[in-house]
Amino acid sequence: MKFSPYAWAKLIYLRDRGPTEVGGFGISDPGQPRFVKDIVLVSQSCTEVTVAFDDAAVADFFDDQIDVGRPPEQFARIWIHTHPGRSAEPSGVDHETFARVFGNCDWAVMFILARNGATYAELKRSGNPHSEPLSVGIDFRDEFTGSNQATWEEEYQQCLQEVHVIPNWDLNFWPEDECYLSEQWTWLPI
């Protein structure tokens, strides 16, 4: 799996922008399906341990991509997200989400970038019960444009809603299977 310098710079910016996870879709090159040219965010609610995409925003994103002539292989097969901690290893929820959301695709990639630069990438192919680990690199062969932090910040502000998790005060510890949301006052599975 390769990233353009632009996509990699944007991903680092998004990873370091706030204290939560950030998720998006990789936009790939038509001739190289695992070469990420850009990363696009959709509206999402994020905590330090979760990302929840807004379903309507994902549908709108897919419609917009089809309207500009991209096939799903270019915009709907590479799920990218960050971990604000030191580990890029996927959680059980990451694995479950990847299987549930991308399990019917002919192929899909889950990519994670941790705060310390650690990466994780796996490829799942239809009909193969085992995923394949992918190496990760940045392709500097072509000329590239510089960063665009003002646009990235605007996208971040438009798409992310930080949700702060507080412990269930009655239990006086972080429960293993659930946390309490301070802003929505509902239970959020980890």
Side-chain angles (χ1 to χ4, degrees):
M1 168 171 207
K2 299 269 186 200
F3 286 84
S4 71
Y6 177 86
W8 190 254
K10 183 176 182 180
L11 182 57
I12 290 172
Y13 179 84
L14 296 170
R15 176 200 66 188
D16 295 345
R17 173 56 183 80
T20 66
E21 290 191 4
V22 176
F25 292 96
I27 304 297
S28 67
D29 192 59
Q32 303 174 62
R34 287 182 296 237
F35 176 67
V36 178
K37 301 185 319 184
D38 197 1
I39 296 152
V40 176
L41 303 181
V42 295
S43 290
Q44 56 196 273
S45 296
C46 303
T47 72
E48 292 82 2
V49 294
T50 62
V51 171
F53 290 164
D54 177 79
D55 290 340
V58 172
D60 290 343
F61 167 69
F62 278 38
D63 286 344
D64 292 345
Q65 295 301 303
I66 295 294
D67 288 348
V68 297
R70 287 193 177 116
E73 294 79 17
Q74 278 188 263
F75 67 85
R77 296 291 190 269
I78 302 174
W79 173 39
I80 296 171
H81 71 282
T82 65
H83 283 178
R86 299 178 54 86
S87 175
E89 289 297 313
S91 67
V93 171
D94 290 337
H95 282 298
E96 186 278 328
T97 300
F98 190 49
R100 179 177 44 83
V101 175
F102 296 93
N104 293 326
C105 297
D106 52 349
W107 67 271
V109 171
M110 173 173 48
F111 176 80
I112 302 169
L113 176 64
R115 181 78 64 180
N116 67 348
T119 61
Y120 177 91
E122 75 174 62
L123 169 68
K124 282 203 179 245
R125 296 178 194 264
S126 178
N128 185 350
H130 304 289
S131 61
E132 303 169 35
L134 295 175
S135 61
V136 177
I138 304 166
D139 189 340
F140 288 100
R141 288 181 286 182
D142 294 331
E143 289 200 32
F144 55 91
T145 58
S147 70
N148 192 349
Q149 291 186 8
T151 301
W152 301 343
E153 178 65 20
E154 184 178 315
E155 186 176 3
Y156 182 92
Q157 292 291 330
Q158 287 176 353
C159 294
L160 263 74
Q161 173 190 351
E162 290 183 19
V163 179
H164 303 282
V165 178
I166 59 173
N168 180 342
W169 299 115
D170 294 335
L171 299 175
N172 293 322
F173 67 97
W174 287 91
E176 289 182 319
D177 61 347
E178 56 194 1
C179 293
Y180 202 72
L181 292 181
S182 62
E183 291 156 358
Q184 297 176 357
W185 303 107
T186 58
W187 291 100
L188 173 72
I190 293 182

